[in-house]
């Protein structure tokens, strides 16, 4: 439900006015376009894990302090309609690194990748780091990979020069292990043991990498992919909780009996603190002006997340499972203190960053994403988009065309105007049958160009009561009213 008591500011006031008002005043908005620099920009791409749309202060969360993420937004652009390519992790990361719909690759059919050692990002597939390398960039991934395991797959096989982090989907913040298995912490392709809270370790290594690249004088890409605030629910100082989860009979990393809003807030605030250290390193080395800093999430938030003004969370193609905070700064080229209504998605970043670096995607692997530079640097008008999703669990399908969104969950189908109705409550499929039928047709036409789903992919089931609570009163068989025809 819409949490008006928690968010006294109206949706329109927040989404359309906050950055140009509050943030612009805080940082001194500059609305003129600077001259283009002669040097290639550095890139720091920061990804949070399972962060909800409103889980940072500049997107409306009043009970959290995130001054460093807010600083990125204030120095540049805050997207109001940023989407993830998937409602789960590895599928979105596939799209992010390739600039293409994840369903073009076998890896993208894993939702998420879990234990399939023969599936991963093919080393021969062009990636953001491999294409930037051809343009003269050095690159390092710090943090989460989750796109396949050794010996077949890995960051160093897909274009990165260096890697420090973990290869799987999640690890304990203190033991750095996935459940009762061995530690999953690596320095390049060497397994290592290192004590410390994971978010802090990743921040420290990112600072070291920035300092090293500053001395080299070469343009660089630092992909800083945090695990926070993904479960287990452990904040700094929670070693006792980490030890509890390692005991026989515990719920393990999934941590179903743990966590709280207080713990979740501390995890995000530590994430923000480490981002601040990286921003300070850029400042100290005189790199801020010509460095593109992007902050976003891999999908919508999970159990403790705030997805206001949307409903739905991770694993759901409702807006709350797909809408993500998305901010970018590049002082040399992007005017400060702005918001953008441009609909954007994870796979847009590869063509955008390649364009900033003066290059483009491999012609044999054309990008499905769009180059956002005109909207960012020239204040170009927003371009209408057609974006498509599917998620094997519960046979979910979605397409957004303009302001309208077709959504299918199991046999229930819907048409929403997600601009006027971000809560996705008013099903317009009968009132606007022509729009509904057109979007359904376009989804099927698009889907025919993608790889078919496979039964081996991970599946997840909605709770029936949750579906009914969201979409209205239940029929006698327990399903929501007016579910619509199956799989049109």
């Amino acid at each position: 439900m819409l949490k008006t008591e928690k968010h006294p500011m109206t949706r329109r006031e927040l989404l359309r006015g906050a950055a140009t008002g509050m943030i612009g005043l805080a940082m001194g908005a500059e609305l003129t376009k600077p001259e283009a620099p002669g040097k290639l920009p550095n890139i720091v791409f920061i990804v949070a894990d399972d962060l909800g749309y409103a889980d940072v202060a500049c997107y409306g969360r009043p009970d959290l302090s995130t001054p460093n993420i807010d600083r990125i937004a204030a120095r540049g652009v805050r997207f109001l309609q940023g989407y993830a390519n998937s409602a789960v992790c590895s599928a979105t990361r596939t799209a992010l690194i390739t600039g293409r719909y994840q369903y073009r690759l076998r890896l993208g059919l894993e939702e998420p990748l879990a234990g399939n050692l023969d599936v991963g990002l093919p080393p021969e597939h062009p990636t953001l780091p491999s294409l930037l390398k051809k343009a003269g960039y050095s690159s390092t991934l710090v943090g989460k990979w989750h796109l396949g395991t050794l010996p077949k797959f890995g960051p160093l096989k897909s274009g990165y020069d260096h890697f420090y982090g973990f290869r799987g989907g999640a690890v304990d913040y203190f033991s750095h292990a996935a459940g009762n298995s061995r530690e999953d912490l690596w320095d390049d392709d060497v397994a290592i043991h290192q004590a410390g809270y994971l978010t802090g370790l990743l921040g420290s290594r990112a600072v070291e990498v920035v300092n090293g690249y500053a001395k080299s004088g070469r343009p660089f890409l630092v992909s800083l992919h945090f695990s926070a605030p993904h479960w287990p629910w452990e904040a700094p100082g929670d070693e006792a909780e980490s030890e509890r989860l390692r005991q026989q009979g515990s719920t393990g990393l999934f941590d179903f009996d743990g966590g709280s809003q207080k713990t979740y807030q501390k995890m995000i605030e530590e994430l923000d603190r480490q981002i601040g250290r990286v921003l300070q390193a850029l400042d100290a080395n005189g790199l801020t002006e010509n460095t593109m800093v992007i902050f976003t999430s891999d999908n919508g938030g999970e159990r403790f997340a705030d997805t206001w003004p949307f409903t739905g969370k991770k694993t759901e193609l409702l807006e709350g499972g797909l809408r993500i905070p998305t901010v970018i700064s590049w002082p040399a080229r992007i005017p400060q203190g702005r918001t953008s209504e441009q609909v954007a998605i994870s796979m847009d970043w590869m063509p955008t960053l390649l364009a900033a670096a003066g290059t483009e995607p491999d012609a044999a692997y054309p990008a499905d994403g769009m180059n956002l530079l005109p909207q960012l640097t020239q204040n170009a008008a927003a371009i209408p988009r057609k974006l498509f999703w599917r998620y094997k669990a519960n046979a979910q399908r979605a397409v957004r065309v303009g302001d309208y969104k077709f959504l299918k969950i199991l046999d229930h189908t819907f048409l929403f105007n997600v601009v006027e109705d971000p809560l996705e409550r008013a099903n317009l499929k009968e009132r606007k049958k022509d729009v509904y039928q057109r979007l359904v047709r376009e989804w099927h036409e698009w889907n025919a160009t993608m790889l078919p789903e496979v039964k081996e992919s991970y599946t997840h089931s909605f709770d029936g009561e949750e579906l009914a609570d969201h979409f209205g009163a239940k029929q006698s068989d327990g399903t929501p009213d007016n579910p619509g025809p199956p799989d049109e």
Side-chain angles (χ1 to χ4, degrees), residues 342-345 347-348 368-370 372 383-387 400-402:
Q342 176 63 59
V343 175
I345 193 169
M347 64 185 177
D348 292 341
D368 292 312
M370 70 173 274
L372 299 170
I383 297 175
R385 302 292 299 276
K386 290 183 181 181
L387 299 178
R400 177 167 173 179
V401 178

Side-chain angles (χ1 to χ4, degrees), residues 45 47-50 83-103 105 107-113 121 144-147 225 296-300 314-315 317 321-324 345-350 388-391:
F45 201 106
V47 182
D49 200 340
D50 294 357
Y83 283 93
N85 261 78
S86 175
V88 287
C89 174
S90 50
T92 289
R93 293 167 193 269
T94 301
L96 178 62
I97 199 171
T98 65
R100 313 178 85 211
Y101 278 113
Q102 63 271 22
Y103 320 105
L105 291 169
L107 170 61
L109 307 185
E110 300 291 323
E111 298 176 317
L113 180 62
L121 181 61
K144 183 172 179 174
W145 169 243
H146 203 192
L147 296 177
H225 295 186
T296 188
S297 180
D298 58 351
N299 46 250
K314 176 182 177 180
T315 75
L317 297 188
L322 295 172
R323 289 282 191 112
I324 50 177
I345 193 169
S346 308
M347 64 185 177
D348 292 341
W349 289 113
M350 191 186 83
F388 302 87
W389 296 268
R390 71 185 195 204
Y391 186 53

Side-chain angles (χ1 to χ4, degrees), residues 126-441:
T127 63
L128 175 63
S130 72
L131 292 169
L132 285 175
K133 181 180 293 187
K134 293 181 180 180
Y137 280 71
S138 301
S139 63
T140 298
L141 171 61
V142 177
K144 183 172 179 174
W145 169 243
H146 203 192
L147 296 177
T149 61
L150 288 173
K152 295 182 178 180
F153 314 105
L156 304 188
K157 296 178 181 296
S158 289
Y160 284 106
D161 297 313
H162 299 288
F163 168 57
Y164 173 86
F166 60 104
R167 297 178 184 275
V171 294
D172 186 274
Y173 284 85
F174 295 94
S175 71
H176 315 142
N180 295 321
S181 62
R182 62 183 181 181
E183 291 181 60
D184 183 15
L185 189 61
W186 302 78
D187 198 337
D188 286 340
D189 284 344
V190 178
I192 62 172
H193 170 78
Q194 189 173 1
Y197 185 71
L198 182 61
T199 305
L201 293 178
L202 299 180
S204 293
R205 176 55 66 96
V207 169
E208 293 175 9
V209 171
V210 168
N211 289 337
Y213 282 143
K215 295 176 182 177
S216 75
R218 293 184 62 186
F220 61 82
L221 162 69
V222 176
S223 298
L224 178 52
H225 295 186
F226 287 100
S227 60
H230 194 291
W231 44 258
W233 314 113
E234 298 168 353
D238 284 346
E239 291 91 342
E241 176 69 359
S242 173
E243 181 62 31
R244 182 184 76 86
L245 295 178
R246 291 198 293 272
Q247 300 304 310
Q248 186 173 3
S250 78
T251 55
L253 290 187
F254 289 100
D255 203 2
F256 294 119
D257 60 352
S260 66
Q261 279 295 328
K262 184 177 181 180
T263 297
Y264 186 72
Q265 291 168 16
K266 288 181 178 179
M267 294 171 74
I268 293 175
E269 288 174 349
E270 178 63 16
L271 165 72
D272 183 81
R273 192 176 80 83
Q274 297 304 323
I275 291 172
R277 295 180 62 203
V278 176
L279 297 180
Q280 289 171 5
L282 293 173
D283 288 343
N285 287 288
L287 299 175
T288 299
E289 183 73 8
N290 196 34
T291 297
M292 304 176 75
V293 179
I294 301 98
F295 173 80
T296 188
S297 180
D298 58 351
N299 46 250
E302 217 203 59
R303 187 184 317 170
F304 298 107
D306 187 349
T307 61
W308 181 89
F310 313 112
T311 51
K313 294 185 182 296
K314 176 182 177 180
T315 75
E316 301 171 0
L317 297 188
L318 292 156
E319 291 291 284
L322 295 172
R323 289 282 191 112
I324 50 177
T326 307
V327 298
I328 178 173
S329 68
W330 183 14
R333 293 289 307 279
I334 297 177
Q336 297 186 27
R338 290 171 43 217
T339 59
S340 175
E341 291 283 1
Q342 176 63 59
V343 175
I345 193 169
S346 308
M347 64 185 177
D348 292 341
W349 289 113
M350 191 186 83
T352 300
L353 298 177
L354 291 180
T359 187
E360 57 189 9
D362 189 314
Y365 300 85
D368 292 312
M370 70 173 274
N371 173 14
L372 299 170
L373 277 188
Q375 284 70 34
L376 291 169
T377 64
Q378 302 167 28
N379 201 23
I383 297 175
R385 302 292 299 276
K386 290 183 181 181
L387 299 178
F388 302 87
W389 296 268
R390 71 185 195 204
Y391 186 53
K392 182 179 177 183
N394 297 296
Q396 295 179 74
R397 285 86 176 85
V399 55
R400 177 167 173 179
V401 178
D403 293 348
Y404 288 99
K405 177 181 174 183
F406 160 68
L407 175 67
K408 175 181 178 293
I409 304 175
L410 297 174
D411 291 337
H412 314 300
T413 55
F414 309 88
L415 177 70
F416 300 113
N417 182 320
V418 293
V419 173
E420 296 299 324
D421 176 28
L423 283 168
E424 294 173 286
R425 297 297 191 188
N427 189 359
L428 304 175
K429 60 180 287 187
E430 297 299 329
R431 289 174 54 192
K432 295 186 176 292
K433 287 185 178 181
D434 57 335
V435 177
Y436 172 79
Q437 292 170 355
R438 174 168 55 85
L439 267 59
V440 171
R441 182 177 64 254

